[in-house]
Amino acid sequence: MMAMRSKLVAGNWKMHGGMVQNQALLSAIVMGTAALRKADFAVCAPYPYLSQTQTLLRDTPIRWGAQNVSQYDKGAYTGEVSAAMLVDFGCRYVIAGHSERRALYGEDSHTVALKFKAAQAAGLIPILCVGETLDQREAAITEQVVAEQLDAIIESAGINALVQSVLAYEPVWAIGTGKTATPGQAQDVHAFIRDRVAAHNPEVAAGLKILYGGSVKASNAEELFAMPDIDGGLIGGASLVADEFIAICRAANN
Ligand code: PGA
């Protein structure tokens, strides 16, 4: 049975932007995607710009979110931002377990699982990132690495928690490097992820959106999104360039 999954394109601005640039970028994206009705679009902005993003997107079909969230509800956690705070600013999504958080800020799978659960408990949809490094791919342990990252969530949150979530397969060697996984390489891992979820619950697997991330651009989006298990993209660098991002949104809408 073919599941009908609508596609999602989410921008991950990372630590980029400013009041003036955001205004221009968001206005351009609103206009450039206005006629696209089949796919869903979102931007994940830095915390300080969530209010601005909410103001500019609230009456549009484009959703927004954050790039990280605390695993805690409230308390003496200087510098942290809770899931409830993100809800206050109208966020629908939050990225959990991005490889930059895992590598640069020491987030392990246990912490990522707590963040995933904290996000869902507040009503947010976590975008859970998984993916292998170049060393791991060359050692032929891609599936093992991705399985471990995925299993940590399933064990902690339960298989049904994946219903209110989005997955993103992001090979670390493809992030910000210009080296995109080939559609075939990406599809193989996406199918592996979906099969692993299906072993727990086929229906959850059939409905699960699995995005690809890693140097997606206008010129390669269409062939990636044509793969049967690729349900859209998580877009870093190209999400900062209005024309590029809009073209990627258009590719997802086709
Ligand atoms: P990139 O980043 O598109 O710049 O490779 C993707 C990501 O890190 O989510």
Side-chain angles (χ1 to χ4, degrees), residues 12 14 98-100 170 174-178 213-216 234-238:
N12 172 13
K14 309 193 180 185
H98 190 279
S99 62
E100 287 152 17
E170 298 206 310
I175 294 178
T177 58
S215 298
V216 178
L234 183 57
I235 319 297

Side-chain angles (χ1 to χ4, degrees), residues 204-215:
V204 172
L208 182 64
K209 280 197 220 304
I210 310 176
L211 312 184
Y212 169 78
S215 298

Side-chain angles (χ1 to χ4, degrees), residues 13 20-30 239-242 245:
W13 290 1
V20 176
Q21 301 102 288
N22 303 346
Q23 159 93 46
L25 178 58
L26 289 171
S27 307
I29 293 170
V30 168
S239 74
L240 299 168
V241 182
F245 190 68

